[in-house]
Amino acid sequence: MAVDASLDARIREWEERLAASATSHPPLTLTPAWWQERLLHWATNDPDFRVKLLRFVDVLPTLRSARSVADHVRQYFRDSAPGIVQTASGLASQPVFRPVLSRAVRSGVFSMAHRFIAGETPEVAVPALRDLARDGVGSTVDLLGEETLSDAEADAYLGRYTELLETLSANAGAISPQGEQWSAVPAANISIKFSALCAHLEPAAPEHVSETARKRLRPLMRLAMRQGAFINFDVEQYRYKELVYRTFADVITEGEFTDLPHVGIVVQAYLRDAVRDLYWLADLAKRRGAPFSVRLVKGAYWDEERIVAAQNSWPVPVFERKEETDASFERCTDALLAAWPHLRPAFGSHNPRSVAQAMVKARNAGRQIPDIEFQMLYGMAEGLRNAVAAAGYRTRVYVPVGRVIPGMAYLVRRLLENTSNQAWFNAGVTVSSIAQTPSEERARRAEPAFRNAPPAAFFEPEERERVGASLARARRGFGTTYSLLIPDRRVSDRPPSEVRCPAEPATIMGHVAQATPEDVDMAVTAAQEAFLEWREVPAYERAEILDRAADLVERSRFDLAATMVFESAKSWHEADGDVCEAIDYLRYYAAEGERLSEPRPMGDVPGEHNENFHEGRGVTAVIAPWNFPLAIITGMTVGALAGGNTAILKPAAQSPIIAYRLVEILRDAGVPNDAIQYLPGPGGEIGRALVEHNGVDNIAFTGSSAVGLNIIEAAAKTRPGQRNVKRVIAEMGGKNAIIIDDDADLDQAISGVLVSAFGYAGQKCSACSRLIIVGSAYDEALERLKNAVASLVVGSPDDPAAFVPPVISADARKKIMGYIDSGRSYSTVLVQTDISHLNSSESEEASYYVAPTVFTDVPLNSPLAQEEIFGPVLSVFHAADFEEALEIALNSTFALTGGVFSRNPRHIELARATFRTGNLYINRKITGAIVGRQPFGGLAMSGLGEKAGGPDYVRQFMQARVVSENTMRRGFAPEEGA
Ligand code: NAD
């Protein structure tokens, strides 16, 4: 970006002037107590203390007693905190000091919050707005609050925004600064968070989200029009950006709002897309024929964006270096000014250089002072703000209003900024020498050996279009007949079974030939012969074949996902997750097979050479469930193949088509036909025949505990001709519990419970079916859960807006309904989602939908509390304390997954040590284990076998051999290792 020399000189001149005013006034100026400054200073210089302070501030408002405050102070700050904080932590251990300490800590943190928050209600905030106006500064008011998890909460926000608009309009005179620059703009100005008005922000369903959000936006915009007020749309995380832009565009182009100039939206300069966003908005304003405002900011979710991108293996959407964001802000300034008069610019920054360049460039572009606006945050950069206002520019402060408790998230964001070493005022306000072009070099992390497949980014329109095309293609393939895939032959002359779509049971998706016991014999014999060759293929070659298969799966990822959407009623996200997991298994196990096949020297004694190595055991029967119809069958199959075994796949009766596709792909990638065979058929007949066959060496089973235990028993019996003791790997059911502690973040906990209990209609072995809430959190958590469950979107899985799909089959529905019906007789239904619209056109039995249902007052030993229901049914328990909650959680014969939401370090430690489940999750959902990161599998009656997606898995399909050679001849031996 070339800035000409005279322009640059003027920018620097302004920058110096603004910087001088900014430093004449400390950046945090609302007469902070000295120790608050100290805390911030320590936090800036001590990363460990910074984390503790932020976490403590975050949890404090939920601590309901002095004892609990004192307890947390001690736990958070006992070690490695500054002296004064350690002293407080020492006092906390003595009961006599607890009340006074608790009061002091609370009032300290709350007063820190009040620097950034103008008041609990609009009414209370008015004097602060009036004071600003007196200083010539305007305001835009934002409401703080909890995350919206239900329609009831979205309605409550609408009510609060309405009240806010009314209060500001009623006080318009008092809160309006004087001056020509204010004459054309409304005094009442609010900033709304789109996420507050919509409970179900599904990036894959922008139409649905826009429609839902607009129902609440219209009355608000009508009110603003009547009162001549201004509404600005804030933009939050990147994954929701398109939803906000889309809804903004939809609503401002509706007939009644097309002329409305007093609306605005945000562009975040830290996004790599920022300039493109501005072009898009300029185009929107032109099409609409009336201008609107754009607030250009740097962006407030920088840490989160980087974490989310890293966790999903997505490209990082934000610039990673501050100078790059600063430079982007300047490029955006050019684009924004160029879009005049369609876009009206507002520049939100606390950086003197960023402000100066906007002033000078605006003037250079012919803009008058009233044409542009500057914005800053309440409680920050007041020196700069006053200098900008004194120069005659319209200067507006973004003022949060709301209760401090839910406002803590906002405070934490501000503290993050204030204690970041990248904050401009910490670096000292110097006249910048920022790079004029963003640096291309980025710190590259060393490439890890294995990388997870990134989930589809459904917030990108192109990804959604690809899914749409794949769904259409899958539909066109309905009615196909699928043959058996046994060596060298596709056998289709067997009586077929029909596969129906659970979401539309009248639709037959395909006909699948069913194997006979003779086919089992034929397949096993061929697999035995093939084993002798496959075992000898060098491990790296097998790995290459499996990597190639991963590439093929990746290439047809949306077609495979579409198959699962129809065959298994998986939502877009769930189907996509299944494909990613399958890709991960292929790549991870390929590498594992190689690693394990490598001979390892043992011992270090002269005159002998010992080698330990692994090789395949033989033929593996893969007996799979329907609920992860691609991922699990791929994992079991590839574990076997990577370890040098051959495999015969017996898919579940409900999901044979996706398994057929897998076998095709493996064969295309180069696995010999007789090393990988496909043998669909009834479990009790074909599954059983495989288990009992004397030529089968390994059985990889995933499914219910009843069938699994039966298989273990049957496999234990030795049959004539059998050459190997059968090895059974059996991953079985669960009855998983989540504990919500009394200090948990309920926004996080309730949304984690919703996903864990009702995602894929609760049909995951890892699903949450028991929720235990500790002590004082009970009432609020229950109320929020109730409203959230009532708002769940139940619907067909090909509709991306649907969160809860139908269950897999009529039988499954009947079984689940049995639990619900009998549960009513001994427990209380807290809430049941209304799904009457889904069942109305058909008879109940013809539809597989089950309404998500939550029970309370559930006896601890009742079927609801003890049996795996495998549907959208959740039982809630109330525990007096955390220890009792653990006891309830562990009262089960299963031990697959478990979860804890807590901010109490001692409780987290206790759970780590004693909540014995195969996979324990802390402060996150309990479903969605990722290969290589959360190796997965249960204890107790939940399973027998090493963790899937972990370093011990492939080993189970292999046998170890040791070869020892005496290397001493005639008294001398080569040196070991030479
Ligand atoms: P299921 O036990 O009914 O069937 C699993 C497989 O076993 C199917 O292929 C079926 O045809 C076959 N089968 C049935 N009877 C057989 C027999 N007598 N001999 C040999 N094979 C037989 O289970 P499902 O309904 O497909 O899957 C749901 C169950 O799977 C749930 O209990 C769930 O918890 C469990 N599951 C566990 C995990 C895990 O990793 N622990 C993962 C997914 C599912």
Side-chain angles (χ1 to χ4, degrees), residues 184 225 230-231 257-264 288 290-293 344:
M225 272 208 304
F230 187 103
I231 298 189
F257 305 123
T258 39
D259 299 331
L260 185 64
H262 299 315
V263 280
R288 176 184 183 239
F292 55 81
S293 296
R344 301 288 157 91

Side-chain angles (χ1 to χ4, degrees), residues 445-741:
R445 286 193 212 127
E447 286 280 310
F450 164 77
R451 289 188 66 130
N452 296 107
F458 289 127
F459 46 82
E460 305 285 2
E462 305 79 50
E463 301 271 81
R464 297 197 297 273
E465 276 160 27
R466 290 175 65 195
V467 178
S470 290
L471 287 171
R473 234 187 334 268
R475 252 188 207 284
R476 286 198 295 276
F478 281 5
T480 305
T481 296
Y482 297 87
S483 47
L484 311 181
L485 296 172
I486 50 181
D488 300 323
R489 276 193 311 139
R490 292 173 181 263
V491 180
S492 50
D493 61 349
R494 303 282 185 273
S497 89
E498 288 170 348
V499 178
R500 290 172 184 271
C501 302
E504 30 186 302
T507 305
I508 295 174
M509 195 176 162
H511 307 272
V512 177
Q514 299 290 289
T516 62
E518 294 72 45
D519 293 325
V520 173
D521 267 341
M522 201 174 2
V524 173
T525 307
Q528 280 180 306
E529 280 168 25
F531 165 65
L532 302 177
E533 284 182 28
W534 182 247
R535 181 179 57 188
E536 303 311 320
V537 173
Y540 71 87
E541 271 181 35
R542 289 198 299 259
E544 272 172 12
I545 292 173
L546 299 176
D547 277 337
R548 213 174 302 140
D551 295 342
L552 293 178
V553 172
E554 203 153 39
R555 221 170 290 155
S556 49
R557 65 182 293 171
F558 292 122
D559 285 342
L560 294 167
T563 302
M564 288 184 274
V565 167
F566 290 119
E567 185 177 38
S568 308
K570 289 224 145 186
S571 71
W572 287 25
H573 285 289
E574 297 287 353
D576 180 66
D578 226 79
V579 177
C580 290
E581 194 176 335
I583 297 170
D584 286 352
Y585 282 133
L586 281 158
R587 297 222 164 101
Y588 187 86
Y589 290 162
E592 281 295 297
E594 257 190 290
R595 178 178 70 84
L596 287 162
S597 305
E598 199 59 40
R600 271 186 36 212
M602 306 295 292
D604 186 18
V605 175
E608 67 177 43
H609 177 76
N610 307 305
E611 233 177 36
N612 184 34
F613 59 96
H614 296 91
E615 61 183 16
R617 290 187 85 235
V619 176
T620 300
V622 173
I623 302 179
W626 49 265
N627 68 331
F628 285 91
L630 180 60
I632 288 184
I633 203 167
T634 303
M636 295 194 291
T637 304
V638 176
L641 290 174
N645 304 268
T646 51
I648 301 172
L649 276 64
K650 209 295 294 165
Q654 299 88 337
S655 56
I657 297 177
I658 189 73
Y660 180 93
R661 301 235 179 278
L662 170 68
V663 174
E664 274 188 327
I665 285 175
L666 287 168
R667 287 180 168 191
D668 287 349
V671 181
N673 285 359
D674 38 9
I676 173 79
Q677 303 179 56
Y678 171 72
L679 220 53
E685 191 186 342
I686 299 306
R688 182 85 193 183
L690 280 167
V691 167
E692 293 180 351
H693 203 286
N694 63 8
V696 167
D697 306 285
N698 305 315
I699 298 156
F701 167 82
T702 305
S704 62
S705 297
V707 174
L709 294 174
N710 195 290
I711 288 177
I712 291 168
E713 201 179 319
K717 185 166 180 314
T718 311
R719 293 175 175 82
Q722 187 173 325
R723 286 176 309 183
N724 247 329
V725 179
K726 290 178 200 276
R727 184 176 282 168
V728 183
I729 300 159
E731 301 297 341
M732 305 186 288
K735 184 72 191 171
N736 313 301
I738 290 181
I739 298 175
I740 297 185
D741 202 357

